[in-house]
Amino acid sequence: MPHTAARLLAEGPRVGIRPFTQEDGPEFTARVRESEDLHRPWLFPPATAEAYAGYARRLAEDPARAGFLVCEKDTGALAGFVNINNVVHGAFRSGALGYGAFAHAAGRGLMREGLDLVIGYAFGPMRLHRLEINVQPLNTASIALARACGFRLEGFSPDMLFIDGAWRDHERWALTAEMRA
């Protein structure tokens, strides 16, 4: 698949992070379709060109959101994505993370490295103080990633988010800039 040559915002040994672009649509949606078994029933990223166009536009235009693609440095291939939603500045300086790996990259540690880069970017240039991850309790892979990146379990929220036709319980995980230091 062709890859967009966009500037990386941060990079580690194997991956870099960069913003979404409209040009990423064909690869992103192909990866989403390839990863449906991995994502369901937890995650429903855009799988069509139309859905992707709106999704990427909202991430770029809405100041309460920031979207990052996790890209393999050696090939440029998209390994996954991390979004910071509900960004609040002022005294709160917080955001809520959502993320997904693509099937070809799952289990290789690429998302761990990518999520670490996004956390560093959020606590650095974005000047956030706190990040939260809300995870359905049976999504063990997502919980393992949150734990591996230093997030602490803060609570349980019954019927928190409407996903796949029903209100779903979620565990609340959080990380602050001081915890990261």
Side-chain angles (χ1 to χ4, degrees):
M1 287 183 188
H3 303 287
T4 302
R7 185 178 64 83
L8 296 176
L9 300 171
E11 57 186 289
R14 298 182 300 152
V15 302
I17 59 169
R18 63 176 177 78
F20 282 71
T21 69
Q22 290 296 329
E23 292 77 21
D24 292 307
E27 181 180 3
F28 187 93
T29 56
R31 297 286 187 201
V32 166
R33 290 188 300 274
E34 292 168 2
S35 305
E36 188 172 305
D37 290 342
L38 177 67
H39 293 160
R40 301 294 189 263
W42 322 114
L43 186 61
F44 296 84
T48 66
E50 280 182 353
Y52 177 85
Y55 178 78
R57 186 177 56 255
R58 287 186 299 277
L59 287 170
E61 294 174 358
D62 185 345
R65 297 180 184 195
F68 304 90
L69 292 169
V70 177
C71 306
E72 295 183 59
K73 283 175 50 178
D74 59 345
T75 65
L78 302 183
F81 58 96
V82 180
N83 297 331
I84 306 176
N85 300 298
N86 305 321
V87 174
V88 178
H89 293 284
F92 196 40
R93 294 189 3 227
S94 180
L97 293 176
Y99 48 79
F102 293 130
H104 76 281
R108 295 173 43 204
L110 301 176
M111 283 302 293
R112 164 76 198 286
E113 188 176 323
L115 184 56
D116 273 336
L117 293 171
V118 171
I119 293 166
Y121 192 83
F123 290 155
M126 289 182 72
R127 304 191 68 224
L128 297 179
H129 172 260
R130 178 183 173 84
L131 295 170
E132 298 180 5
I133 299 173
N134 296 297
V135 184
Q136 293 178 60
L138 296 179
N139 188 345
T140 55
S142 188
I143 290 170
L145 181 56
R147 184 177 282 125
C149 288
F151 285 76
R152 68 177 173 225
L153 179 62
E154 288 193 335
F156 180 80
S157 297
D159 300 332
M160 181 178 182
L161 292 173
F162 194 77
I163 298 173
D164 196 23
W167 289 99
R168 308 290 180 183
D169 299 342
H170 281 70
E171 293 181 0
R172 294 186 325 274
W173 293 77
L175 179 70
T176 65
E178 290 81 9
M179 290 168 61
R180 177 109 163 152

